[in-house]
């Protein structure tokens, strides 16, 4: 079976993503520490920087999560759900989703679950269905999170009932840029043709 040009581009883009997420070791740890130190000197809180890093998983080294900790784990539907880490090593992780099922997965499907205020999560909002909300606070003892729907309403959800939407890959972002460019070119061409047609008819 021969790969099409588009399939080949997607494979290479995914390989580049995997290569980027392979950062680890003392040098990378020192780089993260330097970023945290510089941010704190500039008046930014450590939690804010950690959240910014967590929102960009391709910048984080692939180090095994700690057993017993909570993590965002990508499921087969592409969404990430909260799961408890049962066991982890450099070869992968064994996790238990809070809704019950257990799963073995690669480390690139596992991200720290911080639930820091300001983090974006999706909740099944009453009357509206899936709705992207902003975390206001996290109750670790009750395993619940208080969120704001963006319109001033707040609600508390068990963290087992929240998720994060699939992240766009570099390939899909590139395709989106190409499509946007093509649409722009089409609109510009249409405008030029329309102007020429109007000028011709007014002669």
């Amino acid at each position: 079976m021969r790969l099409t040009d588009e399939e080949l581009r997607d494979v290479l883009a995914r390989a580049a993503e995997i290569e980027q997420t392979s950062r680890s070791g003392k040098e990378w740890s020192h780089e993260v520490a330097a970023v945290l130190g510089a941010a704190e000197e500039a008046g930014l809180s450590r939690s804010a920087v950690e959240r910014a890093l967590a929102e960009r998983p391709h910048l984080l080294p692939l180090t095994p999560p700690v057993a017993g900790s909570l993590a965002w784990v990508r499921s087969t539907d592409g969404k990430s759900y909260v799961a408890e880490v049962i066991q982890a090593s450099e070869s992968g992780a064994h996790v238990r989703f809070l809704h019950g099922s257990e799963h073995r997965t690669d480390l690139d499907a596992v991200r720290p679950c911080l639930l820091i205020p300001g983090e974006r999560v999706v909740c099944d909002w009453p009357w509206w269905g899936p709705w992207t909300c902003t975390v206001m606070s996290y109750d670790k003892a009750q395993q619940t999170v208080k969120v704001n729907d963006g319109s001033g309403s707040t609600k508390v959800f068990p963290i087992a009932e929240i998720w994060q939407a699939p992240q766009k890959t570099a390939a899909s972002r590139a395709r989106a840029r190409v499509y946007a460019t093509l649409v722009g070119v089409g609109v510009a061409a249409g405008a030029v043709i329309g102007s020429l047609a109007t000028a011709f008819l007014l002669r």
Side-chain angles (χ1 to χ4, degrees):
M1 182 181 72
R2 186 176 181 277
L3 292 175
T4 65
D5 290 344
E6 184 176 357
E7 288 171 336
L8 181 58
R9 284 193 297 271
D10 287 347
V11 168
L12 293 176
R14 177 57 181 150
E17 287 181 347
I18 293 172
E19 183 68 26
Q20 286 180 331
T21 57
S22 298
R23 303 176 185 181
S24 60
K26 292 182 179 179
E27 183 179 346
W28 179 243
S29 297
H30 291 158
E31 187 174 345
V32 172
V35 170
L36 290 171
E40 289 175 346
E41 288 178 9
L44 299 173
S45 68
R46 183 183 183 93
S47 63
V49 179
E50 288 176 343
R51 191 187 88 200
L53 284 171
E55 291 174 352
R56 292 162 178 80
H58 64 282
L59 297 178
L60 295 174
L62 288 181
T63 54
V66 178
S69 65
L70 294 180
W72 289 110
V73 180
R74 189 171 61 247
S75 185
T76 53
D77 61 2
K79 300 174 184 177
S80 294
Y81 300 90
V82 183
E84 180 184 358
V85 178
I86 299 174
Q87 187 179 18
S89 65
E90 293 183 358
S91 62
H94 180 196
V95 301
R96 179 186 296 113
F97 288 103
L98 297 189
H99 52 66
S101 62
E102 293 189 14
H103 183 62
R104 289 201 65 84
T105 187
D106 296 329
L107 290 185
D108 65 353
V110 182
R111 294 184 291 111
C113 181
L114 303 177
L115 295 175
I116 297 172
E119 188 172 354
R120 304 284 281 172
V121 298
V122 182
C123 308
D124 193 7
W125 200 271
W127 304 104
W128 293 106
W131 195 262
T132 301
C133 302
T134 303
V135 173
M136 298 180 66
S137 61
Y138 167 51
D139 189 327
K140 184 176 180 180
Q142 298 294 322
Q143 289 200 333
T144 58
V145 64
K146 184 178 182 180
V147 299
N148 186 301
D149 70 348
S151 300
S153 298
T154 62
K155 186 170 175 57
V156 175
F157 289 89
I159 60 175
E161 296 178 6
I162 64 174
W163 68 92
Q164 290 187 328
Q167 295 191 339
K168 293 184 178 179
T169 63
S172 63
R173 288 193 295 269
R175 282 196 296 271
R177 288 196 298 272
V178 170
Y179 294 152
T181 301
L182 290 175
V183 169
V185 169
V187 169
V192 170
I193 292 171
S195 298
L196 292 175
T198 301
F200 179 77
L201 291 173
L202 293 176
R203 281 186 175 185

